[in-house]
Amino acid sequence: MQVTIELLGFLTGLARGKSLFKLEIKAEKPTILTVVRALGEKFGSELERNLAENLYGEARKVALILLNGVEVSALRSLETPVNEGDKITFIPIGSGG
C-alpha cells in the first residue's frame, strides 16, 4: 500500500532533500509507527530518531505527526492505523532559547 509523506523543516535534509513523496508500506495492519520505521529503513536511523524514539522499550513520538491533517495524539498516537492513500505530515518540534 502507498501513503503520501510530507516532511517539513530540517527533516527534509535527513531524507536526502525529499519533502513530499509516496512511500510503499509492506505491512498487513500498518500504523504510524510502521511508517516511522519504514522511513528509517529508507533514509536512515537519524531521520527515524527525529520522528520517534524508543524510551525504556516503548516508542514515543518526537515530531508533531498529522494523519490527514489530524494530530495523531488525538487519535491513537503511534498506534494509529494507516490506510491506503493517507497523507502523513511530520513537523519537527524545535526548542531553544
Side-chain angles (χ1 to χ4, degrees), residues 3-62:
V3 295
T4 300
I5 302 296
E6 181 177 29
L7 300 172
L8 301 178
F10 76 90
L11 299 174
T12 301
L14 299 177
R16 298 182 211 121
K18 294 183 180 241
S19 61
L20 186 65
F21 56 94
K22 301 280 186 195
L23 181 68
E24 186 71 29
I25 303 295
K26 296 177 177 100
E28 200 169 301
K29 293 182 179 182
T31 64
I32 293 294
L33 185 56
T34 308
V35 172
V36 168
R37 289 182 175 150
L39 286 166
E41 288 174 15
K42 184 174 179 80
F43 297 109
S45 62
E46 187 175 358
L47 176 60
E48 185 175 348
R49 281 193 310 274
N50 279 280
L51 303 177
E53 65 182 357
N54 191 345
L55 188 63
Y56 306 113
E58 181 179 326
R60 298 179 49 175
K61 68 185 192 69
V62 177

Side-chain angles (χ1 to χ4, degrees), residues 73-88:
S73 290
L75 304 169
R76 291 175 50 199
S77 195
L78 291 174
E79 295 305 317
T80 301
V82 175
N83 297 300
E84 175 79 32
D86 281 348
K87 181 179 181 186
I88 303 154

